[in-house]
Amino acid sequence: MQTVIQVTPSQLQKMVTFYKQASTPRLPNGAIFAAKNNNASIIGYKSGKVLFQGLGFAQEAALWQTSTVSTAAKAIGKKSTTPGVNIPNDFSNWSVLGSDEVGAGAYFGPLTTAAVFVAKENISWVRQLGIADSKTLTDAKMRQIAPDIIAKLPHHVVNLMPEKYNILQKNNNVNQMKAISHNFALGKVLEKIAPTVPTGILIDQFAQESTYFKYLNNANQSNIVQQNVYFTTKGEQYHLSVAAASILARVVELDSLDKLSDEAGMRLPIGAGKAVDMVAAQLLQQGADLNHYAKLHFANTLKAEKLKR
């Protein structure tokens, strides 16, 4: 009653973390982890082979076989930032929970992260929305599509407005805040769809996989979502769930920026260029608190202060 599967180095490291609480002290020769739970005994070897033994060996192995990358051979020797290198060939037809974030490079407005679950039976419906290449859609088109996504698909949005963002940024770098936001949004959607379990989870990549989980561990995050998780840049090209998440995040960001603009009494531009410096300086001249409108650690803050003088 046993089976052996072959996994990639990144997947093996993911298993080390996953089975940490169930680990056993004695390691066979060549092993990097050994664990035992109610289903099986599991031993992972440096070679990438993982042995499952016990009454529930097949059930336990099945948890990881859907995550075993069919393109593993291609991945060897390639950078993990190569788009789609770790994504299985039929991934676009899976039931996937995807996440994406916007606003990290904009001085005014929030950092917004969204997660959306697209079950395989909803893929055709989502495709008909015309969101396959979400990065090319206009803001107006995304605002038209977003209500349909909200009404039809399980989702969650983490919207860090500037005041909250600035508090968190004192103890976290931007990528760590992204990781925390992605993990929280993903966890909330998993709660909403339970007991349904996605075949895969796809995060639009902003950091190496190992770095992403390091950020979460360093931030002492509980309930880290890590099973069947994939990472790739240009995630919207590999599953519509990321495209939907990108649209939802963008619309929430735009709505938040509209609200802040109304409060400021002037249009707050997107981005971090010279136009942003000028508007920030104007706000300062009017006695406004930039903490309410902007991400203060950007260089634009100092530039605006100089322009004000």
Side-chain angles (χ1 to χ4, degrees):
M1 292 186 294
Q2 68 178 44
T3 190
V4 175
I5 66 173
Q6 181 76 40
V7 300
T8 63
S10 63
Q11 188 73 0
L12 185 62
Q13 190 57 49
K14 191 185 301 182
M15 295 176 79
V16 170
T17 303
F18 182 82
Y19 288 115
K20 187 175 182 180
Q21 298 299 321
S23 61
T24 56
R26 301 184 65 177
L27 294 179
N29 291 336
I32 67 168
F33 81 88
K36 186 174 183 179
N37 60 22
N38 292 333
N39 287 330
S41 296
I42 308 100
I43 302 173
Y45 293 90
K46 296 176 183 177
S47 63
K49 287 183 171 61
V50 183
L51 171 65
F52 298 84
Q53 294 176 305
L55 292 175
F57 77 95
Q59 178 183 349
E60 194 69 23
L63 294 175
W64 300 99
Q65 284 175 307
T66 56
S67 295
T68 303
V69 179
S70 62
T71 55
K74 296 179 183 178
I76 296 174
K78 290 187 177 182
K79 294 182 179 180
S80 62
T81 51
T82 303
V85 71
N86 289 327
I87 305 299
N89 292 332
D90 61 341
F91 191 83
S92 63
N93 296 317
W94 290 12
S95 294
V96 172
L97 170 57
S99 62
D100 196 7
E101 90 290 326
V102 296
Y107 181 61
F108 291 118
L111 172 65
T112 309
T113 306
V116 177
F117 176 59
V118 177
K120 62 182 180 180
E121 57 266 27
N122 286 327
I123 289 175
S124 295
W125 178 84
V126 176
R127 188 173 287 118
Q128 290 173 7
L129 293 177
I131 70 172
D133 195 358
S134 60
K135 301 301 184 186
T136 66
L137 297 179
T138 64
D139 289 345
K141 183 62 175 178
M142 285 191 279
R143 279 183 152 141
Q144 179 184 336
I145 292 171
D148 292 327
I149 294 173
I150 292 169
K152 179 83 170 179
L153 304 174
H155 63 277
H156 189 82
V157 179
V158 176
N159 195 40
L160 295 180
M161 295 296 282
E163 290 179 347
K164 180 68 172 180
Y165 176 99
N166 291 328
I167 291 172
L168 294 175
Q169 193 274 328
K170 293 176 182 178
N171 297 310
N172 302 276
N173 66 40
V174 175
N175 276 350
Q176 184 157 306
M177 284 193 285
K178 288 183 186 179
I180 293 170
S181 296
H182 275 264
N183 185 67
F184 187 84
L186 292 169
K188 285 296 184 182
V189 178
L190 287 174
E191 290 177 6
K192 292 176 182 179
I193 66 175
T196 299
V197 177
T199 313
I201 294 172
L202 182 59
I203 297 174
D204 198 63
Q205 188 171 11
F206 56 87
Q208 296 289 339
E209 178 179 348
S210 59
T211 304
Y212 172 87
F213 287 113
K214 182 179 178 181
Y215 284 140
L216 296 178
N217 287 318
N218 287 347
N220 297 316
Q221 295 297 290
S222 59
N223 301 320
I224 295 177
V225 176
Q226 57 187 342
Q227 189 168 317
N228 296 340
V229 176
Y230 295 82
F231 296 80
T232 183
T233 56
K234 304 183 185 301
E236 72 282 354
Q237 296 181 11
Y238 296 93
H239 202 276
L240 291 172
S241 60
V242 175
S246 176
I247 289 169
L248 193 52
R250 175 63 170 171
V251 171
V252 171
E253 178 201 25
L254 290 172
D255 289 346
S256 299
L257 198 60
D258 285 347
K259 181 176 182 294
L260 290 174
S261 295
D262 289 342
E263 294 172 359
M266 64 183 75
R267 187 67 212 169
L268 302 180
I270 294 175
K274 290 183 178 180
V276 168
D277 299 338
M278 298 298 293
V279 171
Q282 188 176 349
L283 285 171
L284 288 175
Q285 289 168 350
Q286 295 177 357
D289 182 7
L290 284 182
N291 182 56
H292 181 68
Y293 301 100
K295 304 175 183 76
L296 295 182
H297 67 99
F298 278 43
N300 303 86
T301 301
L302 290 176
K303 294 177 181 178
E305 290 173 347
K306 290 179 180 179
L307 288 171
K308 177 194 170 186
R309 295 169 192 166

